[in-house]
Amino acid sequence: IRYTKESYSDCVDFCNERFVACLDDCLIIETFERQQFVRLGDYIVKSVKGDIYPCAPDIFEMTYEEVERV
C-alpha cells in the first residue's frame, strides 16, 4: 500500500497493531528490527512472514511489478 494523505486511514488499518504514531506527515511503524518512518509516497510492504516495512518508491518500482487481482 502506498502512503499518501488520502490513504492515511487505509495505511493505519494495513499496519494494524504495528502502527505507532503519525509525526509531521510520517507514519511510525514497528518492524521486525525497530521502529521506522514511512514518508509520504513510500510504500508499506508486507513480507511472506507477515512483517511490514517501508519501501522507497524507486526501490519498490524496481522490485515489484503490477499484477491483476482475480
Side-chain angles (χ1 to χ4, degrees), residues 1 10-20 27-38 43-55 64:
I1 186 168
D10 292 333
C11 289
V12 170
D13 290 344
F14 182 80
C15 294
N16 201 357
E17 73 275 355
R18 292 186 180 101
F19 171 76
V20 176
L27 300 179
I28 302 172
I29 61 172
E30 188 69 44
T31 68
F32 180 71
E33 298 172 346
R34 65 185 182 282
Q35 288 185 356
Q36 294 189 352
F37 288 101
V38 181
Y43 289 86
I44 304 170
V45 178
K46 187 178 286 188
S47 73
V48 295
K49 292 188 177 185
D51 191 29
I52 60 169
Y53 56 93
C55 185
Y64 301 99

